[in-house]
């Protein structure tokens, strides 16, 4: 996204550097950027962790993880160059002394580098620590230059609208809005970024992109994985907070937004906020009509028997947490009035598949036989992952002597362009290093997104679902999610 910006010398300070995200995503992303020559000339990664590790031990641990998680091969030469940029410090998140020590060390680095470099703080830690770290950074003046210092914050950003507002105002005591990078890694995915190019870089689709031509929009993010080792975090979170409030609503924004006047970050973020504001709020009385929750029981995925959610580690045996959520949204605006937007996401589903389906309206009158007419609605499918392609479905005459029609697809396959596309974190970290906020969430976006799901969240928190578990692992979710869509005369694609 950031073609016109240049990289400045930067010290990257990772809080939670021994955690899961750092080992699977952050270090591999920095390593790949390094190999691609996309890191700043002078950069330093200061890894902070609670444990009293030696630097040597930490580097060996990072190297081993790079071998498992890096997109590019780890060669001796590249590793030797990269590791020289890493330093490990023991750090206690809640002790001011740790921040004072860090300050001294960063100052020393600045002397070595000759200039006061940029500082990029990455909070790869649980949401409960964000305010503690931000306060300590403020008290010890670690981020004293608004032109040079930035902070990246992982989702979930708060746990509801009120807590997000409070967190935003707390961060505002230390950082200006332009210094805050609230990450939603779905926005870094190639296929999600391409929605903008597809819609606004072509003249043929946009004229059809409205209520007059589109019957419904569906967004599915199905996961095969369960909660893995994150049981206690997930118990407090659930699918609505973990996925819909952020990833799925962000995709919805990309599909539904008005054309931005430019690619300037403020402009794009404004257009997205417009969408979130236009989403009709679901009243408490109608939550059951427009939203469905589910929790998986035991089942079979790819021929392997798996346990139910309530049997996973760290999960209460009578847990009320949803591992599946589907919502039927409407947008009250000129372009989308009355077009249903169906979104769904779930864990331990039949297969990993994230995709968007734009279902066009059927023909008002068909020249062909009735059965052909039934098939005639055109579809555009944007496969986000693991398939990465765009498919346009249209009707064609079957070769032969009779006039039989059948749907066929025209496919654009990403892998035909480039086999090894950068990971979302590479794109987003590079943008943060460059100071490009476009793909990050602004405070009002996050607050609006919480507002969109507020009534559903409250209704689900306040009532137990006695039907849980209500879908088998390895299925496409609870029956009610199909019924919700069928009520409007549609089916999940
Ligand atoms: C994270 C959620 O934000 O996204 C996880 O917390 C989820 O629960 C993950 O599994 C999915 O990301 P991806 O990139 O694997 O689709």
């Amino acid at each position: 996204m950031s073609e016109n910006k240049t990289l400045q010398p930067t010290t990257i300070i990772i809080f939670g550097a021994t955690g899961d995200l750092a080992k699977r995503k952050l270090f591999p992303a920095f390593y790949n950027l390094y190999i691609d020559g996309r890191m700043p000339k002078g950069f330093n990664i200061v890894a902070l962790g609670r444990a009293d590790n030696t630097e040597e031990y930490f580097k060996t641990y990072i190297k081993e993880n790079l071998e498992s998680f890096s997109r590019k091969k780890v060669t001796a030469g590249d590793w030797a160059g990269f590791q020289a940029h890493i330093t490990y410090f023991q750090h206690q998140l809640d002790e001011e002394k740790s921040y004072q020590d860090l300050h001294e060390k960063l100052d020393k680095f600045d002397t070595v580098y000759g200039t006061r470099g940029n500082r990029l703080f990455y909070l790869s830690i649980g949401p409960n620590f964000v305010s503690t770290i931000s306060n300590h950074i403020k008290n010890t003046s670690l981020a004293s230059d608004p032109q040079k210092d930035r902070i990246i914050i992982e989702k979930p950003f708060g746990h509801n609208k009120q807590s997000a507002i409070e967190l935003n105002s707390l961060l505002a005591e230390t950082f200006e809005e332009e210094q805050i990078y609230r990450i939603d890694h779905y926005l870094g995915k190639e296929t999600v970024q391409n929605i903008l190019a597809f819609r606004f870089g072509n003249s043929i689709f946009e004229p059809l992109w409205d209520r007059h031509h589109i019957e419904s929009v569906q967004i599915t993010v199905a996961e095969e994985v369960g909660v893995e080792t994150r049981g206690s975090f997930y118990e407090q979170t659930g699918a609505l907070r973990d996925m819909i409030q952020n990833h799925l609503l962000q995709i919805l924004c990309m599909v539904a937004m008005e054309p931005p006047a430019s690619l300037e970050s403020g402009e794009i973020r404004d257009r997205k906020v417009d969408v979130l504001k236009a989403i009709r709020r679901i009243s408490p009385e109608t939550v059951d009509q427009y939203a469905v929750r589910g929790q998986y029981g035991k089942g079979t995925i790819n021929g392997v028997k798996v346990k139910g959610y309530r049997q996973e580690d760290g999960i209460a045996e009578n847990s009320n947490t949803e591992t599946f959520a589907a919502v039927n949204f409407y947008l009250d605006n000129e372009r989308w009035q009355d077009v249903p937007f169906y979104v769904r996401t779930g864990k331990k589903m039949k297969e990993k598949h994230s995709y968007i389906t734009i279902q066009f309206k059927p023909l008002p009158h068909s020249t062909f036989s009735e059965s052909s007419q039934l098939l005639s609605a055109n579809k555009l499918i944007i496969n986000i992952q693991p398939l990465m392609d765009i498919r346009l479905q249209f009707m064609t005459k079957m070769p032969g002597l009779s006039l039989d029609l059948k749907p066929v697809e025209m496919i654009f396959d990403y892998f035909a362009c480039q086999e090894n596309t950068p990971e979302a974190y590479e794109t987003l970290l590079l943008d943060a290093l460059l100071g490009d906020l476009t793909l990050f969430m602004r405070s009002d976006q996050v607050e609006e997104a919480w507002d969109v799901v507020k009534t559903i969240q409250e209704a689900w928190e306040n009532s137990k679902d006695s039907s849980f578990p209500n879908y088998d692992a390895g299925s496409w979710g609870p029956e009610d999610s199909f019924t919700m869509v069928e009520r409007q005369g549609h089916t999940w694609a």
Side-chain angles (χ1 to χ4, degrees):
M1 278 263 165
S2 356
E3 294 311 319
N4 303 323
K5 308 199 181 221
T6 51
L7 289 163
Q8 302 296 327
T10 304
T11 303
I12 300 147
I13 302 115
I14 305 181
F15 291 89
T18 51
D20 206 54
L21 180 73
K23 80 174 185 199
R24 283 171 188 271
K25 300 287 182 190
L26 304 185
F27 279 98
F30 285 125
Y31 179 70
N32 287 317
L33 288 172
Y34 173 76
I35 295 181
D36 281 344
R38 305 301 287 262
M39 288 300 280
K41 284 240 155 40
F43 80 94
N44 236 322
I45 302 180
V46 177
L48 304 178
R50 197 172 275 271
D52 183 15
N53 292 324
T54 62
E55 197 147 291
E56 199 190 342
Y57 172 87
F58 182 75
K59 287 186 179 178
T60 309
Y61 158 84
I62 290 299
K63 180 161 184 264
E64 280 166 10
N65 283 305
L66 283 182
E67 276 153 6
S68 310
F69 301 116
S70 167
R71 182 169 65 84
K72 298 197 171 192
K73 210 166 165 305
V74 184
T75 63
D78 288 333
W79 168 250
F82 181 68
Q83 63 83 31
H85 295 266
I86 303 175
T87 319
Y88 178 84
F89 289 147
Q90 188 185 16
H91 180 93
Q92 308 304 334
L93 292 179
D94 44 5
E95 286 176 14
E96 187 116 329
K97 170 89 174 54
S98 274
Y99 295 80
Q100 286 158 353
D101 292 349
L102 180 64
H103 200 169
E104 266 178 38
K105 284 164 186 157
L106 294 185
D107 283 348
K108 269 193 205 140
F109 280 146
D110 292 340
T111 320
V112 174
Y113 278 88
T115 52
R116 157 77 154 84
N118 294 328
R119 287 177 185 169
L120 180 64
F121 297 92
Y122 200 116
L123 272 51
S124 174
I125 36 83
N128 301 344
F129 287 106
V130 175
S131 53
T132 310
I133 296 176
S134 168
N135 276 334
H136 283 302
I137 289 180
K138 181 172 98 184
N139 296 344
T140 51
S141 309
L142 266 171
S144 54
D145 188 339
Q147 300 308 317
K148 292 185 162 184
D149 301 326
R150 296 164 199 160
I151 185 165
I152 305 184
I153 298 171
E154 272 293 329
K155 66 165 268 284
F157 192 85
H159 55 270
N160 57 17
K161 187 177 178 187
Q162 188 50 37
S163 61
I165 294 174
E166 285 164 14
L167 199 49
N168 278 330
S169 51
L170 185 123
L171 285 168
E173 291 174 16
T174 314
F175 298 95
E176 291 174 12
E177 181 60 32
E178 289 63 39
Q179 295 176 270
I180 306 174
Y181 291 68
R182 298 174 192 81
I183 212 164
D184 181 319
H185 77 279
Y186 265 61
L187 292 178
K189 291 185 190 278
E190 274 296 326
T191 39
V192 174
Q193 288 186 68
N194 191 42
I195 300 171
L196 280 191
F198 181 82
R199 286 191 55 199
F200 306 127
N202 294 295
S203 60
I204 57 176
F205 302 111
E206 206 46 28
L208 304 178
W209 214 260
D210 62 21
R211 62 191 297 262
H212 303 294
H213 302 92
I214 291 177
E215 172 78 13
S216 70
V217 175
Q218 298 187 8
I219 302 170
T220 294
V221 175
E223 296 190 273
E224 236 177 69
V225 290
V227 291
E228 314 302 294
T229 52
R230 301 191 309 156
S232 56
F233 160 79
Y234 199 83
E235 266 292 80
Q236 311 302 317
T237 312
L240 187 75
R241 281 188 182 136
D242 188 40
M243 300 293 285
I244 300 223
Q245 185 272 344
N246 35 74
H247 304 325
L248 279 93
L249 282 181
Q250 284 303 311
I251 298 175
L252 189 154
C253 286
M254 303 285 264
V255 174
M257 70 196 263
E258 292 301 314
S262 70
L263 283 183
E264 199 263 314
S265 67
E267 174 66 16
I268 291 187
R269 299 200 300 176
D270 284 348
R271 298 292 76 78
K272 288 189 184 170
V273 173
D274 290 345
V275 173
L276 293 169
K277 285 190 174 148
I279 296 180
R280 189 180 306 159
R281 301 319 192 232
I282 296 171
S283 68
E285 301 73 40
T286 55
V287 166
D288 286 348
Q289 193 181 335
Y290 294 110
V292 170
R293 56 179 156 165
Q295 187 190 78
Y296 63 86
K298 61 182 172 19
T300 307
I301 303 183
N302 292 328
V304 179
K305 287 203 163 114
V306 297
K307 39 187 175 178
Y309 177 69
R310 291 178 177 185
Q311 286 76 53
E312 306 267 14
D313 285 347
I315 309 300
E317 57 188 25
N318 59 350
S319 168
N320 193 43
T321 301
E322 80 283 355
T323 58
F324 173 98
V327 187
N328 175 183
F329 290 117
Y330 283 96
L331 272 68
D332 289 325
N333 65 16
E334 177 74 23
R335 188 189 282 263
W336 295 115
Q337 199 66 40
D338 298 332
V339 177
F341 280 72
Y342 303 114
V343 306
R344 65 173 168 171
T345 183
K347 295 220 177 269
K348 287 269 159 88
M349 300 202 34
K350 190 168 176 59
E351 60 187 42
K352 178 179 168 80
H353 192 182
S354 303
Y355 58 103
I356 305 166
T357 306
I358 310 288
Q359 175 73 62
F360 290 93
K361 286 197 186 288
L363 291 167
H365 163 74
S366 175
T367 316
F368 302 97
S369 69
E370 209 170 291
S371 60
S372 303
Q373 190 184 1
L374 281 178
L375 291 169
S376 72
N378 295 119
K379 254 186 219 161
L380 178 78
I381 300 155
I382 300 176
N383 280 311
I384 297 174
Q385 64 180 25
L387 264 185
M388 292 169 67
D389 62 29
I390 299 181
R391 295 162 185 250
L392 184 61
Q393 184 177 302
F394 59 96
M395 301 301 289
T396 190
K397 177 188 170 302
M398 289 294 288
L401 298 177
S402 47
L403 192 54
D404 289 334
L405 267 61
K406 141 182 183 205
V408 289
E409 286 180 337
M410 238 165 22
I411 304 177
F412 157 65
D413 183 353
Y414 277 79
F415 293 107
C417 290
Q418 187 177 356
E419 264 185 21
N420 200 352
T421 51
E423 289 249 346
Y425 273 93
E426 290 171 47
T427 305
L428 295 171
L429 290 174
L430 178 60
D431 279 1
L433 287 166
L434 286 163
D436 186 337
L437 284 153
T438 314
L439 296 177
F440 296 84
M441 319 262 283
R442 207 169 53 191
S443 57
D444 52 347
Q445 274 177 286
V446 179
E447 290 169 16
E448 272 312 318
W450 279 118
D451 196 62
V452 167
V453 297
K454 185 166 181 280
T455 46
I456 310 174
Q457 215 184 326
E458 287 168 358
W460 289 358
E461 266 165 20
N462 295 333
S463 72
K464 270 204 161 298
D465 192 319
S466 54
S467 68
F468 278 3
N470 60 355
Y471 72 98
D472 290 344
S475 72
W476 281 105
E479 238 353 90
D480 285 355
S481 114
F482 294 90
T483 319
M484 178 182 82
V485 173
E486 279 156 17
R487 267 202 305 270
Q488 324 273 355
H490 300 134
T491 48
W492 285 110

